[in-house]
Amino acid sequence: MFLKRFFIIVLITSVVAYATGLIFDHAYKKRWSVLFFEKTDSLIKGTNYYDIIFLGNSRVHFGINPYYVDSVTGLNSYNFGYGGGGIVETMMVSSVYLQQHPAPKVAVISLDMGALTKNQNLESSFHYLFYLKNDIINKYMQDAGFLTPIIQLFPFSKYSFFDEYNRTSLFVKGNAYPVFEHNIYRGFLNVEKKAGSSAAVFSKQEAGEALWNPAIIQLKNLVVSLQKKGCKVVFVSAPEKNTSVYKGTTLRKATDSIFTAVASEYKLSYFHFDTDTTYRDNLFTDDIHLNEPGTRKYSIKLADSIMRIYP
C-alpha cells in the first residue's frame, strides 16, 4: 500500500514538474526571444548560407547591423555576436555555426580587451540550457559547471541554476523593444536613438587585469578553425569615443599588441575603427558602445572595408 502511494505521488509530482517546466519555458523564451532565442535558433536550427558572419561580444550584438552591410555589399550576412561574450563563447558559437551551416566566405571577429581576459559569461548564459541536444553546446555548458545530463533528463531542473534576475523574469513582463529603421535585424539589436552618459563598461580594476593566456590560444584556434573551412578571417576593433578611459591603459596596449601579432601570423586583414576620430560623442551610449545612428555609420564603413578584401 505504501509503495503504491509513493509511486502515485512521484508520478503526480513528475507530471506537475514537467508541465510547470513547459509553462516556464514558454514564458522565458517569449521574454528573451529577441535578445537571445531568435539568434540562437538561427545558429542551431537554421541551415541558411551567409556570405559574412559577425562574431564577438556586445560591440557586435548591438553594434553591427547586417541590414546596412548587405545594402552596401549586396551580400548576405548575419550577426552572431552575444552581449558579454568572451573568446570561449565566440569559439563555441563559431563551432556550432560551422557544424550546422555551410562555411561563410568571410568571418569578421570583433576584438577588445575583454576578448583576452578571463570571461565566465557562459555561467550566466542560461538560454544555452535550452539547446543541450547540440553536442558542442552541451560540452561547453558542462565545462561551465552545469549538470547537463540531469538537465536533459529533467528539463525543469535548469531553473534551479538560474540566478535571481532570470528566475524573476519569468513572472515580470518585460517592455517590448521599440522597432524603427531596421534596428532589429538578423541578430542585431539597438534601441538607443540618442547619446548616452552611462558609466564606463569596465571598471578601473578590470581595465588593469592581466591577460588570460588560454584566451590567446583560443583566439588562434578560432582563426585556424575558420581558415580550415576556407573562410577569410577579418579582425575588427570597433569605434570608441575619442575620450575613452581605456585608451592608453596597460591592458589595452597589451591586447592591441597581441591582436596585431595574431593578425600578422595568420595573414589577416585588421580594421582599426577605434582610431577613427570621425565618430563623435553623440554617436555613443558610453565609451565603447554606439547608439543606433552610430551603428549605421559603423556598419556602412565596415561594409566598405570588407568589399576591399572580399574574395
Side-chain angles (χ1 to χ4, degrees):
M1 191 69 173
F2 172 78
L3 284 177
K4 183 178 180 181
R5 288 180 179 178
F6 174 77
F7 284 121
I8 291 174
I9 291 172
V10 169
L11 178 61
I12 293 173
T13 302
S14 298
V15 170
V16 171
Y18 275 98
T20 303
L22 291 175
I23 294 171
F24 283 1
D25 286 356
H26 176 77
Y28 192 78
K29 287 181 177 180
K30 184 177 180 180
R31 174 69 186 274
W32 300 108
S33 176
V34 175
L35 194 62
F36 295 124
F37 287 99
E38 289 180 6
K39 185 196 299 266
T40 312
D41 280 348
S42 294
L43 176 69
I44 296 174
K45 299 177 182 179
T47 56
N48 293 343
Y49 170 76
Y50 297 106
D51 300 294
I52 308 168
I53 60 171
F54 302 103
L55 301 169
N57 57 21
S58 58
R59 299 173 81 179
V60 176
H61 193 164
F62 312 121
I64 300 175
N65 191 337
Y67 177 83
Y68 295 105
V69 173
D70 295 355
S71 297
V72 171
T73 63
L75 300 172
N76 193 24
S77 66
Y78 201 101
N79 181 324
F80 286 108
Y82 285 85
I87 193 64
V88 173
E89 183 173 6
T90 301
M91 183 69 181
M92 181 189 77
V93 169
S94 174
S95 299
V96 173
Y97 182 86
L98 294 176
Q99 178 193 61
Q100 301 295 121
H101 301 255
K105 291 219 172 38
V106 178
V108 177
I109 305 173
S110 182
L111 304 166
D112 60 19
M113 295 187 300
L116 296 185
T117 55
K118 193 168 185 178
N119 184 308
Q120 296 175 307
N121 185 62
L122 285 179
E123 294 181 3
S124 58
S125 297
F126 304 112
H127 64 280
Y128 289 126
L129 297 178
F130 291 78
Y131 299 95
L132 295 180
K133 289 182 180 179
N134 181 278
D135 58 334
I136 296 174
I137 288 181
N138 194 313
K139 179 184 181 303
Y140 273 87
M141 296 307 284
Q142 192 167 21
D143 290 345
F146 293 98
L147 302 177
T148 59
I150 299 297
I151 296 172
Q152 285 184 285
L153 186 60
F154 304 109
F156 53 84
S157 68
K158 61 178 169 287
Y159 293 102
S160 65
F161 294 93
F162 280 34
D163 58 23
E164 183 178 354
Y165 176 77
N166 279 271
R167 280 195 294 267
T168 303
S169 72
L170 288 164
F171 309 102
V172 179
K173 185 177 180 181
N175 296 323
Y177 293 110
V179 179
F180 56 90
E181 298 174 341
H182 316 291
N183 71 309
I184 301 175
Y185 186 82
R186 288 192 180 178
F188 167 81
L189 168 67
N190 194 308
V191 300
E192 304 295 336
K193 289 186 175 183
K194 298 179 180 179
S197 56
S198 58
V201 177
F202 297 112
S203 67
K204 289 183 178 179
Q205 180 181 357
E206 289 171 321
E209 285 182 355
L211 295 174
W212 188 47
N213 287 329
I216 302 172
I217 297 171
Q218 285 273 19
L219 177 62
K220 291 184 177 182
N221 289 341
L222 174 60
V223 171
V224 170
S225 67
L226 288 163
Q227 288 185 331
K228 282 183 177 179
K229 293 290 185 177
C231 302
K232 179 180 281 292
V233 180
V234 176
F235 280 0
V236 170
S237 286
E240 192 169 337
K241 271 188 180 179
N242 296 322
T243 56
S244 170
V245 297
Y246 310 120
K247 291 183 176 180
T249 63
T250 300
L251 180 60
R252 174 63 174 274
K253 291 177 181 177
T255 53
D256 284 350
S257 175
I258 290 170
F259 295 147
T260 300
V262 173
S264 176
E265 179 180 354
Y266 293 98
K267 298 179 173 56
L268 313 181
S269 296
Y270 188 2
F271 302 137
H272 285 273
F273 293 96
D274 54 318
T275 59
D276 187 340
T277 59
T278 65
Y279 290 88
R280 303 303 180 190
D281 288 358
N282 65 348
L283 295 177
F284 291 86
T285 60
D286 57 37
D287 279 2
I288 60 174
H289 290 101
L290 295 160
N291 57 23
E292 194 277 331
T295 66
R296 281 184 250 169
K297 177 175 181 176
Y298 176 35
S299 300
I300 290 170
K301 281 197 168 189
L302 177 57
D304 288 335
S305 298
I306 290 172
M307 287 309 293
R308 291 199 297 268
I309 55 92
Y310 187 75

